[in-house]
Amino acid sequence: MTSFPCEILVVDDTPNNLRLLSQILREAGYEVRSALNGKMAFASVQASPPDLILLDIQMPGLNGYELCQRLRQTPFGMDIPIIFISALQNVQDRVKAFEVGGVDYILKPFYPQEVLARVQIHLTVSQQQRHLKAKNLELQREVERRRQVELLLYETNQELERLSNLDGLTQLANRRRFDRYLWEMWQLLQIDQGCLSLILCDVDFFKRYNDAYGHPAGDRCLQHVAQALISGVHQATGLTARYGGEEFAIILPHAASYEAQMTAERIRHLVCGLELEHIKSPIAQWVTLSLGVSTMVPEVQISPQQLIAKADAALYAAKTQGRNQVVVWTAQIPPGGYKSAPSVSDGLPDRLDGGQQP
């Protein structure tokens, strides 16, 4: 027997056949209900689908073939095992029974043991199929759930990766991202033998700014400067990063020295144009930048640290010369020291509105 109480619908237009089949099935422990014609049977299945149907073929109105075919076209009857039980012995009749959706065929007069054996087999198969279908559905749901979890994990990892490369205050790349990008470009341009330029810039007298206006205002100042850097670099390819504290860095792959110099000057003017008041600055009434530029063609025998050291030396020179200017590294500016080097300007005024130089 199957592991759950099974209900069987017996469909036959002969009352004696109905009574006999019903008795055999009930004595075997099945729940049984009956229908005298195809129309009644269809309505019964629609109201409450049974676990199996024993179906006569020759019935008035809707015959067994037609009923089976109609049930197979419905969501409530498409999976019910239907066993034809008929006196028709022709091979064509049996073939047609299977063609319209029957799972088995029992000849009348029938033997009770045969009926019970075939019923048991098909109920077991049906139960296994339902179990397998439920397992497949559960598996599909689990696969979908895991897909959603993996998608969420991927998105979370992407966000973590983004955040791990981002400076929280300025939303620029952070020092970690700067170091990695510089190394990647250094390796690439070793192969391409192209120029790699670096701009280091520092907010002039930023400690005095914090002392005068407070650290929250200092944070807002750095955010404004960061936006000016982004605007100044605009269409140039590369990376703009917060290098540390009030210091920023811009990596410009495939940029010659004069291109990096022009970018640095553009940034300096944009920051002046912000007109961020700085009452403690001894050189201007606004926040200003000092910038150092270096350019190299990467080689295997040298390292990116030499590019940084040269830009840092040029930045130091810019500060020593009076700040609020761009200095491009030359051989006269050794790393860690300073010798007089001319400031570089593109001839634009320090304020974008054409006002006097602060």
Side-chain angles (χ1 to χ4, degrees):
M1 292 294 293
T2 55
S3 60
F4 59 92
C6 295
E7 185 178 52
I8 299 174
L9 173 63
V10 181
V11 187
D12 199 310
D13 62 336
T14 304
N16 287 337
N17 288 339
L18 281 179
R19 283 193 294 270
L20 180 57
L21 284 169
S22 297
Q23 181 182 350
I24 293 170
L25 294 168
R26 286 194 179 98
E27 289 177 354
Y30 297 107
E31 297 179 7
V32 182
R33 68 179 194 257
S34 60
L36 284 167
N37 56 58
K39 186 176 180 180
M40 290 175 58
F42 186 87
S44 178
V45 174
Q46 187 175 24
S48 177
D51 297 299
L52 183 140
I53 299 173
L54 282 175
L55 179 58
D56 188 22
I57 294 175
Q58 293 178 310
M59 296 184 295
L62 194 66
N63 66 37
Y65 294 140
E66 294 168 339
L67 175 60
C68 181
Q69 198 166 28
R70 185 176 296 184
L71 286 172
R72 289 296 183 241
Q73 296 170 352
T74 67
F76 54 83
M78 61 188 304
D79 294 325
I80 300 173
I82 298 175
I83 301 175
F84 283 97
I85 184 163
S86 173
L88 298 177
Q89 299 186 18
N90 291 334
V91 173
Q92 293 83 353
D93 295 316
R94 299 183 189 183
V95 171
K96 185 174 181 179
F98 290 108
E99 288 176 345
V100 297
V103 298
D104 208 341
Y105 195 98
I106 300 174
L107 283 173
K108 294 179 181 178
F110 52 80
Y111 295 95
Q113 295 86 347
E114 180 186 6
V115 171
L116 291 175
R118 291 178 184 270
V119 164
Q120 177 61 42
I121 288 171
H122 290 292
L123 283 173
T124 301
V125 171
S126 178
Q127 181 184 12
Q128 291 172 345
Q129 289 175 340
R130 283 196 298 270
H131 180 72
L132 182 60
K133 189 174 182 179
K135 284 292 185 182
N136 286 338
L137 183 59
E138 182 182 346
L139 180 60
Q140 290 173 7
R141 289 173 178 167
E142 178 64 18
V143 169
E144 178 60 21
R145 188 189 68 81
R146 291 194 178 191
R147 191 188 71 82
Q148 293 293 336
V149 170
E150 288 173 0
L151 179 61
L152 179 61
L153 182 61
Y154 172 78
E155 292 174 347
T156 301
N157 286 338
Q158 289 292 100
E159 180 65 10
L160 289 174
E161 177 67 17
R162 187 186 71 84
L163 292 175
S164 70
N165 290 315
L166 202 66
D167 175 63
L169 177 65
T170 64
Q171 298 301 295
L172 298 178
N174 59 16
R175 181 64 180 270
R176 174 178 178 270
R177 176 61 179 147
F178 168 86
D179 290 337
R180 187 169 66 180
Y181 185 80
L182 181 61
W183 175 254
E184 290 170 354
M185 291 302 102
W186 189 269
Q187 301 303 311
L188 176 65
L189 292 172
Q190 278 184 21
I191 299 172
D192 294 348
Q193 282 297 284
C195 291
L196 181 61
S197 290
L198 174 65
I199 302 171
L200 290 181
C201 52
D202 200 52
V203 179
D204 294 326
F205 302 106
F206 187 69
K207 183 179 183 304
R208 298 186 186 184
Y209 187 94
N210 275 336
D211 291 342
Y213 299 99
H215 288 281
D219 288 345
R220 289 192 295 272
C221 173
L222 292 178
Q223 289 170 339
H224 288 304
V225 170
Q227 290 304 308
L229 263 64
I230 293 172
S231 298
V233 175
H234 58 217
Q235 295 180 353
T237 57
L239 182 79
T240 303
R242 186 180 182 190
Y243 196 66
E246 69 274 19
E247 194 169 8
F248 298 89
I250 301 163
I251 302 171
L252 298 172
H254 300 288
S257 180
Y258 76 92
E259 294 175 299
Q261 172 189 335
M262 295 293 289
T263 298
E265 279 293 347
R266 186 164 51 247
I267 290 169
R268 187 179 69 85
H269 287 291
L270 285 170
V271 171
C272 286
L274 294 174
E275 297 187 354
L276 299 173
E277 184 184 61
H278 191 348
I279 59 175
K280 293 295 185 179
S281 173
I283 62 168
Q285 58 182 318
W286 314 114
V287 168
T288 58
L289 282 187
S290 296
L291 304 97
V293 179
S294 64
T295 302
M296 298 179 69
V297 176
E299 301 289 347
V300 175
Q301 64 271 21
I302 56 179
S303 76
Q305 296 306 314
Q306 291 177 260
L307 181 70
I308 296 174
K310 291 178 178 181
D312 193 54
L315 174 61
Y316 180 78
K319 291 180 179 181
T320 306
Q321 285 187 176
R323 304 180 189 249
N324 188 25
Q325 59 186 276
V326 175
V327 170
V328 178
W329 183 88
T330 67
Q332 285 73 43
I333 308 176
Y338 168 72
K339 293 182 180 179
S340 178
S343 64
V344 183
S345 174
D346 58 6
L348 295 174
D350 287 317
R351 289 174 58 183
L352 295 185
D353 60 4
Q356 293 182 344
Q357 181 174 339

